[in-house]
Amino acid sequence: MSSSLVTQGSGTPRNVRVRMRAEMTGSGSPVGSCTAAGTLPVNGTGSVSCTNTSSAWASWYRGAELSEGAEPYQAIAHVVAQALDPGEVTGVRDQVDKQFRNLRRELDGKKNCRRTLASAPLRHAVYIAHAPLGPWDDYCTYVLPSAIEETPAFDRRSLEMVRSYHFPGGEFADDAKGLFKDTVTDGQLHKILDRGLGDPASFTKNSQGYYEKTFPSPGVGYDAKVNGGKDAEFVTLVINTAGDVVTMFPHN
């Protein structure tokens, strides 16, 4: 099977995802079908195949073997191809991340929690129940500056960023950075974030235009080695106005 593609987008994908359904006939009568999925190179040749295991085909085939004359059969394949313009990948990824944040907020709202209205100039104040990671309250209060458009939540990219910069073995981790313990899971990072958002300390705007807050969180990591590398007592959370987690790291 060969494939060619004409695109009006910003680039040409490497492969095309295909779904195939083959309808078979034997001696002019339907004898079942099969389906398959695979990938084909763009403007190239590849193969996608399936096997007809239906009882109708088996029955016809047995009869054809016993027949002395020719018994013609054929398969007609219907193929649907799907390709994503590389220029659209970033947009799709951002949509998925946004849906993830919205789903997480929806699930948080279904927990056993209370809600309260924020007083100006604060915009959000939401009580969220969570399982504690350490010796702190089971309930935290989200009180965010009015400039924050969405309730902050980790998405795939921000989790990768924290792990790259602030976990042992991370690509950008070094002796000048506080590091989380390598046993801290993504789920625990979410809980640390919840705890930070609920901490009574206020967010302050830094020189880069981000909002940051430092809160107690003993036992989750270590201070930078240049500062002695001792057990960290605090975590600093940095968010942007869109509600993205810019970074989060332990320190003293």
Side-chain angles (χ1 to χ4, degrees):
M1 183 181 296
S2 63
S3 66
S4 61
L5 177 70
V6 177
T7 177
Q8 296 179 347
S10 59
T12 301
R14 296 179 181 178
N15 297 297
V16 178
R17 179 72 175 172
V18 298
R19 290 182 290 111
M20 179 185 71
R21 179 179 178 84
E23 303 281 353
M24 296 188 65
T25 60
S27 303
S29 300
V31 289
S33 63
C34 62
T35 59
T39 57
L40 294 176
V42 171
N43 301 325
T45 301
S47 64
V48 178
S49 62
C50 64
T51 301
N52 183 359
T53 59
S54 69
S55 58
W57 167 254
S59 176
W60 179 88
Y61 189 82
R62 286 194 299 268
E65 286 186 314
L66 298 175
S67 174
E68 296 182 356
E71 296 290 346
Y73 66 92
Q74 68 174 349
I76 300 177
H78 305 272
V79 180
V80 176
Q82 298 173 313
L84 183 63
D85 185 333
E88 297 178 355
V89 171
T90 299
V92 172
R93 183 182 61 195
D94 290 344
Q95 290 178 8
V96 171
D97 286 342
K98 183 176 181 180
Q99 291 173 355
F100 173 82
R101 290 197 302 267
N102 289 340
L103 177 60
R104 185 164 180 267
R105 288 196 299 273
E106 180 181 346
L107 292 176
D108 282 342
K110 292 180 179 180
K111 294 177 181 178
N112 179 24
C113 62
R114 295 180 297 161
R115 298 179 182 274
T116 181
L117 295 177
S119 58
L122 299 177
R123 181 173 178 177
H124 309 276
V126 183
Y127 288 89
I128 302 296
H130 62 80
L133 182 64
W136 52 75
D137 293 337
D138 288 348
Y139 293 86
C140 60
T141 308
Y142 287 2
V143 181
L144 306 176
S146 58
I148 306 301
E149 299 173 0
E150 300 284 348
T151 302
F154 272 118
D155 57 24
R156 176 184 50 79
R157 286 179 295 175
S158 55
L159 282 171
E160 290 176 354
M161 185 71 70
V162 170
R163 289 195 171 276
S164 294
Y165 281 86
H166 298 290
F167 268 79
E171 182 179 1
F172 303 107
D174 56 44
D175 291 349
K177 296 182 177 68
L179 303 180
F180 287 101
K181 293 180 178 179
D182 56 9
T183 55
V184 172
T185 66
D186 287 353
Q188 289 173 319
L189 287 175
H190 283 293
K191 292 176 182 178
I192 295 170
L193 170 64
D194 284 345
R195 182 169 176 237
L197 292 174
D199 188 87
S202 299
F203 278 96
T204 59
K205 192 173 184 179
N206 63 25
S207 59
Q208 296 177 298
Y210 299 136
Y211 288 84
E212 61 181 53
K213 175 197 286 191
T214 296
F215 54 94
S217 189
V220 299
Y222 308 97
D223 198 9
K225 286 187 177 180
V226 295
N227 297 329
K230 297 180 180 180
D231 288 347
E233 297 293 329
F234 300 94
V235 164
T236 289
L237 167 66
V238 183
I239 61 177
N240 62 21
T241 56
D244 301 316
V245 176
V246 177
T247 189
M248 189 171 73
F249 56 90
H251 61 90
N252 283 328

